[in-house]
């Protein structure tokens, strides 16, 4: 894919060697002071450090690292000192290099630095955030979350997950370099790649979708179905590039549509049972294909009506190569099996009635409202029981 500048003001480069364009990006922005947010081991292992550091000569650089995989409001608050120091030289450029967490921390620092009150105090109130003065450059080292294409970030306060969103949190530059994913262990390629696939699928059926977001979602699903298995089991540079594109398209799709029930259910599994994000999302996705395909006039939530929901569900089934919803579910679940991802809640240690009740209690109701078919407490309960069997 060539360089693309979208209407949101993000210049996206998806290509081998894209990370070498960082210096050019910094010149274009006329950067003075930088905040570099990186993952722990991934920064060196991915080759990002070797590619990035020579391009930072002559800039004052503040480093932020050492945060957990599910970043907390406390960790974000601790990182804000680095942003304040950088801000003494002018509006900072915050560079996030890593998986979804590093990119999210970069966004959260940009958001946190712009607020008069601590971010942690603003979350439960659903307060409107002030726009950030920082400029973001995001460089993913996994092909998965598509965070480099969205205007929101995930943060935890205790076990509760929040989304921090503002249009100013879209990056100015997204440098997506498949070579940075080459050193990933297969289980991370699998869980992050599955996140891209699931985000594409959920986005396609989301109530919040638009024609444009559905195009991006469809492209993401098609690419992921073509390249995910190879990227995990027999990686080639073509498969890695394909998954980077899939992840970025899925990111663009959910940037508009947001995600739905499978994501809503996943966060509890991740925070309490340490199931990696994409893996956790996949546990309910197969069942949700069947559930949403059985939407009726009595329980359709999407204001575009039953016909629309039937069309998008038929498209999901088709893109997964299925003959019907059950067949699509089977194909999805078989693919997860080949990628060595266990879907059953009981096998993951989260299948007891108490566990299921706790998981249901963690669900973000707003995301269930984005599911095309009504999902209340009884439906959620039934879904959790089915995937625990
Ligand atoms: Zn996700």
């Amino acid at each position: 894919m060539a360089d693309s500048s979208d209407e949101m003001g993000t210049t996206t480069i998806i290509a081998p060697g894209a990370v070498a364009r960082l210096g050019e990006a910094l010149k274009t922005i006329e950067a003075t002071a930088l905040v570099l947010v990186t993952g722990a081991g991934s920064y060196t292992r991915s080759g990002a450090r070797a590619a990035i550091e020579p391009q930072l000569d002559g800039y004052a650089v503040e480093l932020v690292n050492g945060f957990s995989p599910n970043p907390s409001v406390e960790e974000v608050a601790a990182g804000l000192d680095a942003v304040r120091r950088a801000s003494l030289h002018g509006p900072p450029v915050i560079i996030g290099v890593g998986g979804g967490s590093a990119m999210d921390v970069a966004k959260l620092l940009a958001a946190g630095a712009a607020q008069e009150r601590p971010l942690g105090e603003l979350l439960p109130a659903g307060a409107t955030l002030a726009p950030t003065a920082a400029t973001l450059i995001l460089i993913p080292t996994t092909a998965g979350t598509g965070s480099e294409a969205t205007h929101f970030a995930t943060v935890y306060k205790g076990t509760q997950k929040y989304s921090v969103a503002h249009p100013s949190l879209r990056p100015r530059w997204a440098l997506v370099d498949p070579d940075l994913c080459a050193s990933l262990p297969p289980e991370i390629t699998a869980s992050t790649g599955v996140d891209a696939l699931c985000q594409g699928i959920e986005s396609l059926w989301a109530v919040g979708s638009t024609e444009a977001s559905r195009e991006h979602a469809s492209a993401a699903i098609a690419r992921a179905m073509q390249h995910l298995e190879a990227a995990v089991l027999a990686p080639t540079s073509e498969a890695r590039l394909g998954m980077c594109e899939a992840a970025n398209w899925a990111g663009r799709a959910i940037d508009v549509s947001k995600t739905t029930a499978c994501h809503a259910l996943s966060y509890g599994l991740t925070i309490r049972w340490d199931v990696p994000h994409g893996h956790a999302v996949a546990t309910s996705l197969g069942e949700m294909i069947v559930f949403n395909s059985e939407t009726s006039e009595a329980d359709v939530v999407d204001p575009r009506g039953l016909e629309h929901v039937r069309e998008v569900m038929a498209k999901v089934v088709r893109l997964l190569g299925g003959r019907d919803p059950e067949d699509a579910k089977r194909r999805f679940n078989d693919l997860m099996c080949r990628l060595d991802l266990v879907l059953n809640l009981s096998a993951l240690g989260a299948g007891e009635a108490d566990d299921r009740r706790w998981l249901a209690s963690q669900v973000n109701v707003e995301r269930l409202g984005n599911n095309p078919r009504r999902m209340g407490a009884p439906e959620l309960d039934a879904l959790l029981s089915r995937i625990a069997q």
Side-chain angles (χ1 to χ4, degrees):
M1 190 194 279
D3 297 12
S4 75
S5 282
D6 58 30
E7 63 283 3
M8 304 300 185
T10 301
T11 298
T12 302
I13 300 166
I14 307 180
V19 67
R21 307 275 299 270
L22 176 61
E24 174 196 336
L26 293 171
K27 281 204 184 73
T28 310
I29 296 166
E30 298 178 356
T32 48
L34 313 180
V35 179
L36 181 63
V37 182
T38 71
S42 68
Y43 183 46
T44 304
R45 204 171 46 241
S46 65
R49 180 198 288 269
I52 285 173
E53 294 200 342
Q55 302 182 71
L56 302 183
D57 275 352
Y59 292 102
V61 184
E62 296 285 344
L63 295 175
V64 176
N65 49 34
F67 43 84
S68 56
N70 305 305
S72 67
V73 287
E74 292 80 10
E75 288 170 326
V76 173
L80 282 176
D81 282 341
V83 184
R84 279 189 208 104
R85 284 194 299 272
S87 302
L88 297 174
H89 307 274
V93 174
I94 304 181
I95 307 170
V97 188
S101 311
M103 290 190 282
D104 277 7
V105 168
K107 291 180 186 176
L108 294 163
L109 291 176
Q115 314 311 316
E116 285 184 5
R117 289 166 60 199
L119 206 52
E121 283 178 23
L122 296 170
L123 294 176
T128 310
L129 299 179
T132 184
T135 302
L136 282 159
I137 299 177
L138 298 180
I139 305 175
T141 59
T142 64
T145 67
S147 180
E148 77 280 2
T150 72
H151 69 289
F152 39 76
T154 295
V155 67
Y156 283 84
K157 196 173 173 181
T159 62
Q160 196 58 48
K161 176 256 170 202
Y162 293 93
S163 191
V164 172
H166 194 280
S168 66
L169 298 181
R170 277 194 200 85
R172 185 79 59 82
W173 288 73
L175 303 177
V176 186
D177 188 336
D179 291 348
L180 299 182
C181 305
S183 67
L184 286 177
E187 62 273 19
I188 297 185
T189 305
S191 63
T192 52
V194 166
D195 187 27
L197 174 60
C198 294
Q199 288 182 170
I201 294 171
E202 284 185 69
S203 181
L204 192 50
W205 70 42
V207 173
S209 79
T210 61
E211 211 176 310
S213 78
R214 289 198 299 281
E215 258 174 47
H216 283 131
S218 303
I221 301 168
R223 264 297 196 280
M225 288 305 287
Q226 188 183 351
H227 293 295
L228 176 55
E229 195 169 350
V232 176
L233 300 177
T236 59
S237 40
E238 187 198 354
R240 276 194 289 270
L241 176 63
M243 285 313 296
C244 282
E245 290 172 343
N248 188 264
W249 282 334
R252 288 174 195 229
I254 63 162
D255 186 51
V256 173
S257 71
K258 309 283 178 7
T259 54
T260 67
C262 309
H263 266 73
L265 261 174
S266 74
Y267 298 108
L269 272 176
T270 295
I271 203 75
R272 190 159 147 193
W273 284 273
D274 286 333
V275 182
H277 171 67
H279 180 179
V281 173
T283 56
S284 61
L285 196 119
E287 285 297 336
M288 286 304 294
I289 295 170
V290 176
F291 179 82
N292 283 340
S293 295
E294 291 169 355
T295 306
S296 70
E297 285 292 359
D299 56 19
V300 62
V301 170
D302 196 312
R304 293 166 291 199
L306 188 56
E307 205 46 48
H308 167 84
V309 176
R310 286 196 173 139
E311 263 171 43
V312 295
M313 291 314 300
K315 187 152 197 193
V316 167
V317 168
R318 212 163 47 240
L319 284 165
L320 292 176
R323 287 186 308 275
D324 53 48
E326 280 291 345
D327 189 42
K329 169 180 124 178
R330 190 180 53 74
R331 282 167 181 272
F332 178 85
N333 289 351
D334 286 352
L335 173 61
M336 298 305 110
C337 187
R338 294 197 297 279
L339 300 180
D340 212 15
L341 299 179
V342 172
L343 300 181
N344 183 286
L345 287 191
S346 301
L348 291 167
E352 296 297 321
D354 271 359
D355 301 332
R356 300 200 308 267
R357 257 193 302 279
W358 186 83
L359 282 170
S361 76
Q362 295 294 300
V363 167
N364 180 331
V365 183
E366 183 200 321
R367 277 210 172 67
L368 292 184
N370 200 27
N371 197 64
R373 180 179 176 189
R374 190 192 314 131
M375 252 199 127
E379 290 81 13
L380 190 57
D381 215 40
L383 173 70
L384 284 165
S385 299
R386 272 199 303 280
I387 62 175
Q389 272 167 16

